[in-house]
Coordinates of all heavy atoms in Angstrom, one line a residue:
Y294 N -8.1 7.4 -5.1 CA -8.3 6.2 -4.4 C -9.8 6.1 -4.0 O -10.3 6.7 -3.1 CB -7.5 6.2 -3.1 CG -7.6 4.9 -2.2 CD1 -7.0 3.8 -2.6 CD2 -8.3 4.9 -1.1 CE1 -7.1 2.6 -1.9 CE2 -8.4 3.8 -0.3 CZ -7.8 2.7 -0.7 OH -7.8 1.6 0.1
T295 N -10.5 5.3 -4.8 CA -12.0 5.3 -4.7 C -12.5 3.9 -4.4 O -13.6 3.7 -4.0 CB -12.7 5.8 -5.9 OG1 -12.3 5.0 -7.0 CG2 -12.3 7.2 -6.2
S296 N -11.7 2.9 -4.6 CA -12.2 1.5 -4.4 C -11.8 1.0 -3.0 O -10.8 1.3 -2.5 CB -11.6 0.6 -5.5 OG -11.9 -0.7 -5.3
D297 N -12.6 0.0 -2.5 CA -12.2 -0.7 -1.3 C -11.1 -1.7 -1.5 O -10.4 -2.0 -0.6 CB -13.4 -1.3 -0.6 CG -14.4 -0.3 0.0 OD1 -13.9 0.8 0.3 OD2 -15.5 -0.6 0.1
Q298 N -11.0 -2.2 -2.7 CA -9.9 -3.1 -3.1 C -9.1 -2.4 -4.2 O -9.6 -2.0 -5.2 CB -10.5 -4.4 -3.6 CG -11.1 -5.3 -2.6 CD -11.4 -6.7 -3.2 OE1 -11.4 -6.8 -4.3 NE2 -11.5 -7.6 -2.3
I299 N -7.8 -2.2 -3.9 CA -7.0 -1.6 -4.9 C -5.7 -2.5 -5.0 O -5.1 -2.8 -4.1 CB -6.6 -0.2 -4.6 CG1 -5.8 0.4 -5.7 CG2 -5.9 0.0 -3.3 CD1 -5.8 1.9 -5.7
F300 N -5.5 -2.9 -6.3 CA -4.3 -3.8 -6.5 C -3.3 -3.0 -7.3 O -3.6 -2.1 -8.1 CB -4.8 -5.0 -7.4 CG -5.7 -5.9 -6.7 CD1 -7.1 -5.6 -6.7 CD2 -5.2 -6.9 -6.0 CE1 -8.0 -6.5 -6.0 CE2 -6.1 -7.8 -5.3 CZ -7.5 -7.5 -5.3
M301 N -2.0 -3.3 -7.0 CA -0.9 -2.6 -7.7 C 0.2 -3.6 -7.9 O 0.5 -4.4 -7.0 CB -0.5 -1.4 -6.9 CG 0.5 -0.6 -7.7 SD 1.2 0.7 -6.7 CE 2.7 0.9 -7.7
R302 N 0.9 -3.5 -9.0 CA 2.1 -4.3 -9.2 C 3.2 -3.7 -8.4 O 3.6 -2.6 -8.6 CB 2.4 -4.3 -10.7 CG 3.6 -5.2 -11.0 CD 3.8 -5.4 -12.5 NE 2.7 -6.0 -13.2 CZ 2.4 -7.3 -13.2 NH1 3.2 -8.1 -12.6 NH2 1.4 -7.8 -13.8
A303 N 3.8 -4.5 -7.5 CA 4.9 -4.1 -6.7 C 6.2 -4.3 -7.4 O 7.2 -3.6 -7.2 CB 4.9 -4.8 -5.4
N304 N 6.3 -5.3 -8.2 CA 7.5 -5.7 -9.0 C 7.1 -6.5 -10.2 O 5.9 -6.7 -10.4 CB 8.6 -6.3 -8.1 CG 8.0 -7.6 -7.5 OD1 7.4 -8.4 -8.1 ND2 8.3 -7.7 -6.1
K305 N 8.0 -7.0 -10.9 CA 7.8 -7.8 -12.1 C 6.9 -9.0 -11.9 O 6.1 -9.4 -12.8 CB 9.1 -8.2 -12.7 CG 9.0 -8.7 -14.1 CD 10.4 -9.0 -14.7 CE 10.4 -9.3 -16.2 NZ 11.7 -9.5 -16.7
T306 N 6.9 -9.6 -10.8 CA 6.2 -10.9 -10.5 C 5.1 -10.8 -9.5 O 4.4 -11.8 -9.3 CB 7.1 -12.0 -10.1 OG1 7.8 -11.6 -8.9 CG2 8.2 -12.2 -11.2
T307 N 4.9 -9.6 -8.8 CA 4.0 -9.6 -7.7 C 2.9 -8.4 -7.8 O 3.3 -7.3 -8.0 CB 4.7 -9.4 -6.4 OG1 5.8 -10.4 -6.3 CG2 3.8 -9.5 -5.2
I308 N 1.7 -8.8 -7.7 CA 0.6 -7.8 -7.6 C 0.1 -7.8 -6.1 O -0.1 -8.9 -5.5 CB -0.5 -8.1 -8.5 CG1 0.0 -8.0 -10.0 CG2 -1.7 -7.2 -8.3 CD1 -1.0 -8.4 -11.0
V309 N -0.1 -6.7 -5.5 CA -0.5 -6.5 -4.1 C -1.8 -5.8 -4.0 O -2.1 -4.8 -4.6 CB 0.6 -5.7 -3.4 CG1 0.2 -5.5 -1.9 CG2 2.0 -6.4 -3.5
N310 N -2.6 -6.4 -3.1 CA -3.9 -5.7 -2.6 C -3.4 -4.8 -1.5 O -3.0 -5.2 -0.4 CB -4.9 -6.7 -2.2 CG -6.2 -6.1 -1.7 OD1 -6.2 -4.9 -1.3 ND2 -7.3 -6.9 -1.8
L311 N -3.5 -3.5 -1.7 CA -3.0 -2.5 -0.7 C -3.8 -2.5 0.6 O -3.3 -2.0 1.6 CB -3.1 -1.1 -1.3 CG -2.1 -0.9 -2.5 CD1 -2.2 0.5 -3.0 CD2 -0.7 -1.3 -2.2
N312 N -5.0 -3.2 0.6 CA -5.7 -3.3 1.8 C -5.0 -4.2 2.8 O -5.4 -4.2 4.0 CB -7.1 -3.8 1.6 CG -8.0 -2.8 0.9 OD1 -7.9 -1.6 1.2 ND2 -8.8 -3.2 -0.1
F313 N -4.1 -5.0 2.4 CA -3.4 -6.0 3.2 C -2.0 -5.6 3.5 O -1.2 -6.3 4.1 CB -3.4 -7.4 2.6 CG -4.8 -8.0 2.5 CD1 -5.6 -7.8 1.4 CD2 -5.3 -8.6 3.6 CE1 -6.9 -8.3 1.4 CE2 -6.6 -9.2 3.6 CZ -7.4 -9.0 2.5
V314 N -1.6 -4.3 3.2 CA -0.3 -3.8 3.6 C -0.3 -3.3 5.0 O -1.1 -2.4 5.4 CB 0.2 -2.7 2.6 CG1 1.5 -2.1 3.1 CG2 0.3 -3.2 1.2
A315 N 0.6 -3.9 5.8 CA 0.6 -3.5 7.2 C 1.6 -2.3 7.4 O 1.4 -1.4 8.2 CB 1.1 -4.7 8.1
S316 N 2.8 -2.4 6.7 CA 3.8 -1.3 6.8 C 4.7 -1.4 5.6 O 4.6 -2.3 4.8 CB 4.5 -1.5 8.1 OG 5.2 -2.7 8.1
Y317 N 5.6 -0.4 5.6 CA 6.6 -0.4 4.6 C 7.9 0.2 5.1 O 7.9 0.9 6.1 CB 6.2 0.3 3.3 CG 5.9 1.8 3.5 CD1 6.9 2.8 3.3 CD2 4.6 2.2 3.8 CE1 6.6 4.1 3.5 CE2 4.3 3.6 4.0 CZ 5.3 4.5 3.8 OH 5.1 5.8 4.0
S318 N 9.0 0.0 4.4 CA 10.3 0.6 4.9 C 11.0 1.1 3.6 O 10.9 0.6 2.5 CB 11.2 -0.5 5.6 OG 11.6 -1.5 4.7
K319 N 11.7 2.2 3.9 CA 12.5 2.9 2.8 C 13.9 2.7 3.1 O 14.3 2.6 4.3 CB 12.2 4.4 2.8 CG 10.8 4.8 2.6 CD 10.7 6.3 2.5 CE 9.3 6.7 2.9 NZ 9.2 8.2 2.9
G320 N 14.7 2.5 2.1 CA 16.2 2.4 2.3 C 16.7 2.1 0.9 O 16.2 2.5 -0.1
L321 N 17.8 1.4 0.9 CA 18.4 1.0 -0.4 C 17.4 0.1 -1.2 O 17.2 0.2 -2.4 CB 19.7 0.2 -0.3 CG 20.9 1.0 0.3 CD1 22.1 0.1 0.5 CD2 21.2 2.1 -0.7
V322 N 16.6 -0.7 -0.5 CA 15.6 -1.5 -1.0 C 14.3 -1.1 -0.3 O 14.2 -1.1 0.9 CB 15.8 -3.0 -0.8 CG1 14.7 -3.8 -1.3 CG2 17.2 -3.4 -1.5
Y323 N 13.2 -0.8 -1.1 CA 11.9 -0.5 -0.6 C 11.2 -1.8 -0.4 O 11.1 -2.6 -1.3 CB 11.1 0.4 -1.5 CG 11.5 1.9 -1.4 CD1 12.8 2.3 -1.8 CD2 10.6 2.8 -0.9 CE1 13.2 3.7 -1.7 CE2 11.0 4.2 -0.8 CZ 12.2 4.6 -1.2 OH 12.6 5.9 -1.1
M324 N 10.6 -2.0 0.8 CA 9.9 -3.2 1.1 C 8.5 -2.9 1.6 O 8.3 -1.8 2.3 CB 10.6 -4.0 2.2 CG 12.0 -4.5 1.8 SD 12.1 -5.8 0.6 CE 11.3 -7.1 1.5
I325 N 7.5 -3.7 1.4 CA 6.2 -3.6 2.0 C 6.0 -4.9 2.8 O 6.5 -6.0 2.4 CB 5.1 -3.4 1.0 CG1 5.0 -4.4 -0.1 CG2 5.1 -2.0 0.5 CD1 3.9 -4.3 -1.0
Y326 N 5.3 -4.8 3.9 CA 5.1 -6.0 4.8 C 3.6 -6.1 4.8 O 2.8 -5.2 5.2 CB 5.7 -5.7 6.1 CG 7.2 -5.4 6.0 CD1 7.6 -4.1 6.0 CD2 8.1 -6.4 5.9 CE1 9.0 -3.8 5.9 CE2 9.4 -6.1 5.8 CZ 9.9 -4.8 5.8 OH 11.2 -4.6 5.7
L327 N 3.1 -7.3 4.5 CA 1.7 -7.6 4.5 C 1.2 -8.1 5.9 O 2.1 -8.4 6.7 CB 1.3 -8.7 3.5 CG 1.7 -8.4 2.1 CD1 1.2 -9.5 1.1 CD2 1.2 -7.0 1.6
V328 N -0.1 -8.0 6.2 CA -0.6 -8.4 7.5 C -0.3 -9.8 7.8 O -0.2 -10.2 9.0 CB -2.1 -8.1 7.6 CG1 -2.4 -6.6 7.5 CG2 -2.9 -8.8 6.5
D329 N -0.1 -10.7 6.9 CA 0.3 -12.1 7.1 C 1.8 -12.3 7.3 O 2.2 -13.5 7.5 CB -0.3 -13.0 6.1 CG 0.4 -12.9 4.7 OD1 1.3 -12.0 4.6 OD2 0.1 -13.7 3.8
G330 N 2.6 -11.3 7.3 CA 4.0 -11.4 7.5 C 4.8 -11.5 6.2 O 6.1 -11.5 6.3
T331 N 4.2 -11.5 5.1 CA 4.9 -11.6 3.8 C 5.7 -10.3 3.6 O 5.1 -9.2 3.8 CB 3.9 -11.8 2.7 OG1 3.1 -13.0 2.9 CG2 4.6 -12.0 1.3
E332 N 6.9 -10.4 3.1 CA 7.7 -9.3 2.8 C 7.9 -9.2 1.2 O 8.2 -10.2 0.6 CB 9.1 -9.4 3.4 CG 9.1 -9.5 4.9 CD 10.4 -9.6 5.5 OE1 11.4 -9.7 4.8 OE2 10.5 -9.7 6.8
I333 N 7.6 -8.1 0.7 CA 7.7 -7.9 -0.8 C 8.5 -6.7 -1.1 O 8.3 -5.6 -0.6 CB 6.3 -7.7 -1.4 CG1 5.4 -9.0 -1.1 CG2 6.3 -7.5 -2.9 CD1 4.0 -8.8 -1.4
E334 N 9.5 -6.9 -2.0 CA 10.3 -5.8 -2.5 C 9.6 -5.0 -3.6 O 9.0 -5.6 -4.5 CB 11.6 -6.4 -3.1 CG 12.6 -5.3 -3.5 CD 13.9 -5.9 -4.0 OE1 14.2 -7.0 -3.7 OE2 14.6 -5.1 -4.7
I335 N 9.6 -3.7 -3.5 CA 9.0 -2.8 -4.4 C 10.1 -2.5 -5.5 O 11.2 -2.1 -5.1 CB 8.5 -1.5 -3.8 CG1 7.5 -1.9 -2.7 CG2 7.8 -0.6 -4.8 CD1 7.1 -0.7 -1.9
S336 N 9.8 -2.6 -6.7 CA 10.7 -2.2 -7.8 C 11.0 -0.7 -7.8 O 10.2 0.1 -7.3 CB 10.2 -2.6 -9.2 OG 9.2 -1.8 -9.6
R337 N 12.2 -0.3 -8.2 CA 12.5 1.1 -8.3 C 11.5 1.9 -9.1 O 11.2 3.0 -8.7 CB 13.9 1.3 -8.8 CG 15.0 0.8 -7.9 CD 16.4 0.9 -8.5 NE 16.4 -0.1 -9.6 CZ 17.4 -0.2 -10.4 NH1 18.5 0.6 -10.3 NH2 17.4 -1.1 -11.4
R338 N 11.0 1.3 -10.2 CA 10.1 2.0 -11.0 C 8.7 2.2 -10.4 O 8.0 3.1 -10.7 CB 9.9 1.3 -12.3 CG 11.1 1.3 -13.2 CD 10.9 0.6 -14.5 NE 12.1 0.7 -15.3 CZ 12.2 0.2 -16.5 NH1 11.2 -0.4 -17.0 NH2 13.4 0.3 -17.2
K339 N 8.4 1.3 -9.5 CA 7.0 1.4 -8.9 C 7.0 2.0 -7.5 O 5.9 2.3 -6.9 CB 6.5 0.0 -8.7 CG 6.2 -0.7 -10.0 CD 5.1 -0.1 -10.8 CE 4.8 -0.9 -12.0 NZ 3.7 -0.2 -12.8
K340 N 8.2 2.3 -6.9 CA 8.2 2.8 -5.5 C 7.4 4.1 -5.3 O 6.7 4.3 -4.4 CB 9.6 2.9 -4.9 CG 10.4 3.9 -5.5 CD 11.8 3.9 -4.9 CE 12.7 5.0 -5.5 NZ 14.0 5.0 -5.0
G341 N 7.6 5.0 -6.2 CA 6.9 6.3 -6.1 C 5.4 6.2 -6.1 O 4.7 6.7 -5.3
E342 N 4.9 5.4 -7.1 CA 3.4 5.2 -7.2 C 2.9 4.4 -6.0 O 1.8 4.8 -5.4 CB 3.1 4.4 -8.5 CG 1.7 4.2 -8.7 CD 1.4 3.4 -10.0 OE1 2.4 3.0 -10.7 OE2 0.2 3.0 -10.2
M343 N 3.6 3.4 -5.5 CA 3.2 2.6 -4.4 C 3.2 3.5 -3.1 O 2.2 3.5 -2.4 CB 4.2 1.5 -4.2 CG 3.9 0.6 -3.0 SD 2.5 -0.5 -3.2 CE 3.1 -1.7 -4.3
L344 N 4.2 4.3 -2.9 CA 4.2 5.1 -1.7 C 3.1 6.2 -1.7 O 2.5 6.5 -0.7 CB 5.6 5.8 -1.5 CG 6.7 4.8 -1.2 CD1 8.0 5.6 -1.2 CD2 6.5 4.1 0.1
E345 N 2.8 6.7 -2.9 CA 1.7 7.7 -3.0 C 0.4 7.0 -2.7 O -0.4 7.6 -2.0 CB 1.7 8.2 -4.5 CG 0.7 9.3 -4.7 CD 0.7 9.8 -6.1 OE1 1.9 10.0 -6.6 OE2 -0.3 10.1 -6.7
L346 N 0.1 5.8 -3.2 CA -1.1 5.2 -2.9 C -1.3 4.8 -1.5 O -2.3 4.9 -0.9 CB -1.3 3.9 -3.8 CG -1.5 4.2 -5.3 CD1 -1.4 2.9 -6.1 CD2 -2.9 4.8 -5.5
L347 N -0.2 4.4 -0.9 CA -0.2 4.0 0.6 C -0.4 5.3 1.4 O -1.1 5.2 2.4 CB 1.1 3.4 1.0 CG 1.3 1.9 0.5 CD1 2.7 1.4 0.8 CD2 0.3 1.0 1.0
D348 N 0.1 6.4 1.0 CA -0.1 7.7 1.7 C -1.6 8.1 1.6 O -2.2 8.5 2.6 CB 0.8 8.8 1.1 CG 0.7 10.0 2.0 OD1 0.8 10.0 3.2 OD2 0.6 11.1 1.4
I349 N -2.2 7.9 0.4 CA -3.6 8.2 0.2 C -4.5 7.3 1.1 O -5.4 7.7 1.8 CB -4.0 8.1 -1.3 CG1 -3.4 9.2 -2.1 CG2 -5.5 8.1 -1.4 CD1 -3.5 9.0 -3.6
K350 N -4.1 6.0 1.1 CA -4.8 5.1 2.0 C -4.7 5.4 3.4 O -5.7 5.4 4.2 CB -4.3 3.7 1.8 CG -5.0 2.6 2.6 CD -4.3 1.3 2.4 CE -5.0 0.3 3.4 NZ -4.1 -0.8 3.7
K351 N -3.5 5.8 3.9 CA -3.3 6.2 5.3 C -4.2 7.4 5.6 O -4.9 7.5 6.7 CB -1.9 6.5 5.5 CG -1.5 7.0 6.9 CD -0.1 7.2 7.0 CE 0.3 7.8 8.4 NZ 1.7 8.2 8.4
K352 N -4.2 8.4 4.8 CA -5.1 9.6 5.0 C -6.5 9.3 5.0 O -7.3 9.8 5.9 CB -4.8 10.7 3.9 CG -3.4 11.3 4.1 CD -3.2 12.3 3.0 CE -1.8 12.9 3.1 NZ -1.5 13.8 1.9
R353 N -6.9 8.4 4.2 CA -8.3 8.0 4.2 C -8.7 7.3 5.5 O -9.8 7.5 6.0 CB -8.6 7.0 3.0 CG -10.0 6.6 2.9 CD -10.2 5.8 1.6 NE -11.6 5.4 1.5 CZ -12.0 4.3 1.1 NH1 -11.2 3.4 0.7 NH2 -13.3 4.0 1.0
L354 N -7.8 6.4 6.0 CA -8.1 5.7 7.2 C -8.2 6.7 8.4 O -9.0 6.5 9.3 CB -7.1 4.7 7.5 CG -7.1 3.4 6.7 CD1 -5.9 2.5 6.9 CD2 -8.4 2.7 6.9
L355 N -7.3 7.7 8.4 CA -7.3 8.7 9.4 C -8.6 9.5 9.5 O -9.1 9.9 10.5 CB -6.2 9.7 9.3 CG -4.8 9.1 9.6 CD1 -3.7 10.1 9.3 CD2 -4.7 8.6 11.0
T356 N -9.3 9.8 8.3 CA -10.5 10.5 8.3 C -11.7 9.7 8.4 O -12.7 10.1 8.9 CB -10.6 11.4 7.0 OG1 -10.6 10.5 5.9 CG2 -9.5 12.4 6.9
K357 N -11.7 8.4 8.0 CA -12.8 7.6 8.1 C -12.7 6.4 9.1 O -13.7 5.8 9.4 CB -13.1 7.0 6.7 CG -13.5 8.0 5.7 CD -14.1 7.3 4.5 CE -14.6 8.4 3.5 NZ -15.3 7.8 2.4
G358 N -11.6 6.2 9.6 CA -11.4 5.1 10.5 C -11.3 3.7 9.8 O -11.5 3.6 8.6
P359 N -10.8 2.7 10.5 CA -10.6 1.4 9.9 C -11.9 0.7 9.3 O -11.8 -0.1 8.5 CB -10.0 0.6 11.0 CG -10.3 1.3 12.3 CD -10.6 2.7 11.9
E360 N -13.0 1.1 9.8 CA -14.3 0.5 9.3 C -14.8 1.2 8.1 O -15.8 0.8 7.5 CB -15.4 0.6 10.4 CG -14.9 0.1 11.8 CD -14.5 -1.4 11.7 OE1 -15.2 -2.2 11.1 OE2 -13.5 -1.7 12.3
G361 N -14.1 2.3 7.6 CA -14.6 3.0 6.4 C -15.7 4.0 6.7 O -16.2 4.6 5.9
K362 N -16.0 4.2 8.0 CA -17.1 5.1 8.4 C -16.4 6.4 8.9 O -15.4 6.3 9.6 CB -17.9 4.5 9.6 CG -18.6 3.3 9.1 CD -19.4 2.7 10.3 CE -20.0 1.3 9.9 NZ -20.5 0.6 11.1
K363 N -17.0 7.5 8.6 CA -16.5 8.8 9.1 C -16.5 8.9 10.6 O -17.5 8.6 11.2 CB -17.2 9.9 8.4 CG -16.6 11.2 8.7 CD -17.2 12.3 7.8 CE -16.4 13.5 8.0 NZ -16.3 14.3 6.8
E364 N -15.3 9.2 11.2 CA -15.3 9.3 12.6 C -15.8 10.7 13.0 O -15.6 11.7 12.4 CB -13.8 9.2 13.1 CG -13.3 7.8 12.9 CD -11.9 7.6 13.5 OE1 -11.4 8.6 14.0 OE2 -11.4 6.5 13.4
E365 N -16.5 10.7 14.2 CA -17.0 12.0 14.7 C -16.3 12.4 15.9 O -15.7 11.8 16.7 CB -18.5 11.8 14.9 CG -19.2 11.5 13.6 CD -20.7 11.3 13.8 OE1 -21.2 11.9 14.7 OE2 -21.3 10.6 13.0

């Protein structure tokens, strides 16, 4: 994860900018929720990759903060 903007296909018809993902839920259907309230279903084939990228993004925010600057 090296770019400030990272796009990923969530399903057959939807590409998502991961910078706008507010949260996600796991269950029978994996969903992501964008900051504007949009709900998007993640395809079964893409859920592993999507969750891995979101985990990397989360770790990056914890070490650098929301502004992208390293917290001291």
Side-chain angles (χ1 to χ4, degrees):
Y294 182 75
T295 58
S296 175
D297 287 336
Q298 287 190 341
I299 185 160
F300 294 87
M301 188 187 160
R302 184 172 298 280
N304 56 49
K305 194 173 184 178
T306 61
T307 309
I308 295 175
V309 176
N310 181 334
L311 297 181
N312 290 322
F313 291 93
V314 174
S316 63
Y317 63 90
S318 66
K319 301 180 203 177
L321 293 176
V322 177
Y323 280 66
M324 299 290 293
I325 55 175
Y326 305 95
L327 303 183
V328 294
D329 70 353
T331 304
E332 299 178 0
I333 300 170
E334 183 176 341
I335 303 172
S336 73
R337 289 177 292 175
R338 291 183 180 179
K339 296 290 184 181
K340 71 180 178 184
E342 183 181 356
M343 178 74 71
L344 293 174
E345 183 178 321
L346 288 172
L347 290 172
D348 188 48
I349 290 168
K350 180 184 174 204
K351 180 180 174 184
K352 287 178 184 175
R353 183 174 181 221
L354 286 174
L355 290 175
T356 59
K357 293 193 175 185
E360 309 300 315
K362 298 175 186 171
K363 190 166 184 148
E364 292 184 359
E365 298 182 26

